[in-house]
Amino acid sequence: MSVDALKAEIEALKKENEALKAAARRDEEPKVLSPNGTIFDLPSVREWTHKESLDNDEISRFSRQLLMREIGVQGQLKLRNTTVLVVGAGGLGAPAVMYLAAAGIGRLGIVDYDPVEASNLQRQIVHDETRVGMMKAESAKATVNRLSSFCDCIAYNTLIESSNAMDIIRPWDIVVDATDNVATRYLLNDACVLAGKPLVSGSALRMDGQLTVYNHAGGPCYRCIFPAPPPPETVTNCSDGGVLGVVPGIIGCLQALEVIKIASGLGTSFSQKMLLFDATSGAFRTIKLRGQSPTCAICGKNPTITDLIDYVQFCGAAPTDKTPAQTLLPDDERSTCREYSSVRMGAWPHLLLDVRETVQFNICSLPNSLNVPLKDLERRLTDVEQAARQAAALESSAIAIAKDALPIYVVCRRGNDSQVAVQLLRQHGFLQAKDIAGGLERWASEIDPDFPTY
Amino acid sequence: MGLTIHLQFSGGMELLFNNEKEKTVTLPDTFTPALATLKDLLPWMRDNLLSERAELFMQGDTVRPGILVLINDADWELEGELEYVLKDDDTIVFISTLHGG
């Protein structure tokens, strides 16, 4: 190709580029900033066109439901004409989106801002090993698309928050709360009350699950039942407390079921009621909740909340199930992983005190560490003192070491509990106690790549 | 004989009470039948049964936010909350609400 021809082609491409940029500017969709600073566009959601009848493909695809008196043609058509937004593509959202898509819900929205991690796959069965690193909403959408061409699936790769929640929720008929944190639960509740949408809410932890439908059929909203958020230190997330994968799976399936019952006209069983699932005993129990509260701050007679508020401030916790790093100790009461590594290399006498729960200690631990869970530490201080004396005496057996000189390093998973432990130890006279900043997670990333993380 | 009360714990509340999901207790004579209320029961539970820090269970004279209380299977709000007068053989359930998913 001649130089002139190339120049002409470059000019043509420049023009095309300008035209595309101008088109993009005209397309004024709200921009959203994710926590890691990436700008996402909210997908544009066009109006959902309702159908008057099922076509032949739909009849054969959904025949098993058409045969049921409870669903039938009219019920199936209602499912087709209903749009459902699932917030959270995790342990609850995974089975929920799959069953909703499979059942013939016409349009499904999926909101999540996290990427898939390997530790998710034990319960988040909408994702798989090939999706690790992919955005969860995209991964869930890919699964839905492979499952059913009858479902129009829209992914929101974004953190839902006060600034965008109303825009996200407005086009949808029913909202599913499949989130993992307190702040987003209050946000979704308030947004659903303001927008007049039913909220099918599920939650799970360890061996327990709970399910309620809020803001529906004259029943209470989440705030009617829980006017004040729990103190942050009383909230356990799945990444700390653990969860048996099938437990959120069961609750997520029940959420899909209640959505289908609402959408098809059968009606929900869980307005003003809470289902408690105890996997240990295999018991399902339904309790009756109080009714809609006339004094509720958002759905009461004189609401004090008429617009979405700052939910992170309200709950004192971020909209995530990750545990944030805290700084409780001054620098001279902490040691870095590198410093502690040289203590080990030099074989300097010391006690390594591991204050994690014993179930975590059993997963992995550094050799020669003493496990005393933080909650037991205060009543086991004599064990700690004895072990520290033994460790110190390895070098200087004849010398009685004063308590305030015993060398103690405290470690935990991430370096939060270890600081609380050092504060406690110092209050009780162990003045040389230090924690290992960043805990075993940082030990694995900085010192020993073969050390397991969980 | 003092009042007999059946206590049940769910949603992780049992972790605050020696990991026991059910416990039947006979209250001491300081609990006067027809007068003693839930307001008396909560601090007694805190002082005699709780195996974890008090603030994980109570805030002021009531349960901390995030705990649902049922009296004989009904939301305690329908029963007068703290003013509810304890009766022999009552079942009181404490449920910690879950937020994980």
Side-chain angles (χ1 to χ4, degrees), chain A residues 91 180 204 210 226 285 290 375, chain B residues 8 52 73 75 96-97 100-101:
Chain A
D180 58 13
Q210 295 171 353
F226 306 109
R285 170 178 191 172
R290 68 198 75 168
K375 66 177 166 57
Chain B
Q8 296 179 1
E52 284 278 343
D73 270 337
D75 191 328
S96 175
T97 52

Side-chain angles (χ1 to χ4, degrees), chain A residues 264-279:
Chain A
S264 66
L266 283 170
T268 179
S269 313
F270 295 105
S271 175
Q272 208 188 325
K273 285 182 186 156
M274 181 181 281
L275 175 81
L276 308 174
F277 172 49
D278 176 347

Side-chain angles (χ1 to χ4, degrees), chain A residues 179-402:
Chain A
T179 63
D180 58 13
N181 66 84
V182 183
T184 310
R185 289 181 183 276
Y186 277 97
L187 166 70
L188 279 182
N189 177 71
D190 291 1
C192 283
V193 170
L194 294 175
K197 317 277 183 191
L199 178 63
V200 180
S201 173
S203 57
L205 184 71
R206 300 192 183 102
M207 298 285 279
D208 286 291
Q210 295 171 353
L211 171 83
T212 304
V213 175
Y214 294 109
N215 194 43
H216 180 56
C221 80
Y222 190 67
R223 266 185 200 274
C224 296
I225 311 296
F226 306 109
E233 67 273 19
T234 67
V235 176
T236 308
N237 56 38
C238 289
S239 61
D240 281 344
V243 61
L244 185 66
V246 66
V247 174
I250 287 166
I251 300 298
C253 287
L254 286 165
Q255 288 178 282
L257 174 61
E258 292 312 302
V259 168
I260 289 166
K261 284 158 66 181
I262 293 168
S264 66
L266 283 170
T268 179
S269 313
F270 295 105
S271 175
Q272 208 188 325
K273 285 182 186 156
M274 181 181 281
L275 175 81
L276 308 174
F277 172 49
D278 176 347
T280 310
S281 63
F284 287 90
R285 170 178 191 172
T286 302
I287 59 171
K288 187 153 197 302
L289 299 172
R290 68 198 75 168
Q292 197 259 342
S293 165
T295 58
C296 177
I298 183 123
C299 77
K301 286 205 174 73
N302 299 300
T304 51
I305 301 171
T306 52
D307 219 339
L308 296 180
I309 60 170
D310 182 339
Y311 294 89
V312 175
Q313 188 188 44
F314 176 66
C315 299
T320 166
D321 79 334
K322 309 283 188 292
T323 306
Q326 297 172 334
T327 306
L328 307 174
L329 295 178
D331 284 348
D332 63 343
E333 297 181 11
R334 312 197 74 181
S335 109
T336 65
C337 285
R338 284 190 198 291
E339 283 161 5
Y340 180 66
S341 175
S342 54
V343 167
R344 283 184 88 86
M345 301 268 266
W348 294 339
H350 70 282
L351 171 68
L352 177 61
L353 178 65
D354 188 325
V355 294
R356 293 174 299 155
E357 289 292 311
T358 304
V359 283
Q360 295 190 35
F361 185 79
N362 289 341
I363 299 172
C364 55
S365 63
L366 286 171
N368 301 319
S369 51
L370 173 71
N371 179 221
V372 179
L374 180 60
K375 66 177 166 57
D376 301 331
L377 184 58
E378 192 153 15
R379 60 180 177 80
R380 289 188 56 190
L381 288 171
T382 47
D383 295 350
V384 172
E385 184 171 347
Q386 201 180 3
R389 280 192 191 288
Q390 261 172 17
L394 291 178
E395 191 163 81
S396 46
S397 54
I399 310 164
I401 299 172

